[in-house]
Amino acid sequence: EVQLVESGGGLVQPGGSLRLSCAVSGFSVSANYMSWVRQAPGKGLEWVSVIYTGGTTFYADSVKGRFTISRDNSKNTVFLQMDSLRVADTAVYYCVRERTVRGDIRFDPWGQGTLVTVSS
Amino acid sequence: DIQMTQSPSSLSASVGDRVTITCQASQDISNFLNWYQQKPGKAPKLLIYDASHLETGVPSRFSGSGSGTDFSFSISSLQPEDIATYYCQQDTTFGGGTKVEIK
């Protein structure tokens, strides 16, 4: 069964750090593009970051220089290290597989999400 | 960057009604357009890929069409379990979402 389980969310003060984890079962993270997508309370979906099979990473401009995506192939887990957190980073963070099929990028499947709240 | 404009932002319809949502891209994206359903408190779920292809297991009352810059998503007969927010997506950009409610 394919499953993505995020953890690591919580309450943090502005300027602080958090590390999110996404434990994957049912497929290999090293053989797939893995992304993080976030959703601020009551708002829409915003793509955050991706790590490609070869290790190349990309970030949304809103998090570039503050967030770092990585993976541990032996644990089949993807991480999102979030530093210098801002109130605007408050959101549910979803781990999701990114598939590119004949040029079309699709996000499937998704984890259940983990809530990050940045507040003083 | 390509912008995705989705409308309406919300709609209310009766059970059995046909519901249609549109998504417009700021430039030609061929058929590289996907639709997701997000039920309250849940993660999004891919429903339609390549503008018009239903994911396995998705009921046939859902459909998508379009190419180039203009796309649409329809529910032929709205059911209570279809209450959700629907998003279009192209590359790493999502539309603003359409909240579908029962009248």
Side-chain angles (χ1 to χ4, degrees), chain B residues 9-42:
Chain B
S9 58
S10 66
L11 65 88
S12 180
S14 300
V15 172
D17 283 354
R18 181 178 185 84
V19 166
T20 298
I21 299 167
T22 64
C23 188
Q24 185 171 58
S26 58
Q27 63 189 70
D28 190 334
I29 59 171
S30 184
N31 67 332
F32 298 153
L33 191 283
N34 308 307
W35 292 95
Y36 298 81
Q37 175 192 62
Q38 185 179 32
K39 294 187 176 182
K42 301 295 186 181

Side-chain angles (χ1 to χ4, degrees), chain B residues 2 4 16 24 27 31-32 48-49 52 54 66 72 78 88-89 93:
Chain B
I2 298 174
M4 306 301 296
Q24 185 171 58
Q27 63 189 70
N31 67 332
F32 298 153
I48 291 174
Y49 63 93
S52 62
L54 260 62
S72 65
L78 186 66
C88 62
Q89 170 256 325
T93 302

Side-chain angles (χ1 to χ4, degrees), chain A residues 3-24:
Chain A
Q3 199 171 13
L4 296 80
V5 179
E6 301 96 333
S7 60
L11 175 62
V12 61
Q13 292 187 336
S17 298
L18 272 180
R19 188 194 197 204
L20 306 184
S21 298
C22 171
V24 175

Side-chain angles (χ1 to χ4, degrees), chain A residues 39 94 104-107 111, chain B residues 34 36 38 43 50 87 89:
Chain A
Q39 185 171 38
Y94 294 101
D104 178 51
I105 294 175
R106 308 165 195 171
F107 296 99
Chain B
N34 308 307
Y36 298 81
Q38 185 179 32
D50 289 351
Y87 294 92
Q89 170 256 325

Side-chain angles (χ1 to χ4, degrees), chain A residues 8-120:
Chain A
L11 175 62
V12 61
Q13 292 187 336
S17 298
L18 272 180
R19 188 194 197 204
L20 306 184
S21 298
C22 171
V24 175
S25 55
F27 65 89
S28 170
V29 299
S30 64
N32 287 271
Y33 295 1
M34 296 299 299
S35 279
W36 289 92
V37 174
R38 69 183 180 182
Q39 185 171 38
K43 302 297 184 181
L45 301 167
E46 179 189 19
W47 175 82
V48 173
S49 180
V50 64
I51 182 166
Y52 288 170
T53 52
T56 300
T57 59
F58 291 97
Y59 301 91
D61 288 344
S62 57
V63 307
K64 200 172 295 182
R66 301 187 298 121
F67 288 13
T68 303
I69 190 171
S70 62
R71 68 180 182 229
D72 183 332
N73 296 339
S74 66
K75 296 181 179 178
N76 214 33
T77 298
V78 181
F79 304 99
L80 187 67
Q81 176 67 40
M82 304 186 296
D83 299 319
S84 303
L85 281 162
R86 306 168 180 168
V87 172
D89 295 319
T90 295
V92 173
Y93 285 73
Y94 294 101
C95 175
V96 57
R97 180 174 60 182
E98 180 179 314
R99 292 190 293 146
T100 299
V101 181
R102 294 183 297 277
D104 178 51
I105 294 175
R106 308 165 195 171
F107 296 99
D108 174 69
W110 297 62
Q112 87 286 351
T114 187
L115 176 62
V116 172
T117 303
V118 185
S119 174
S120 54

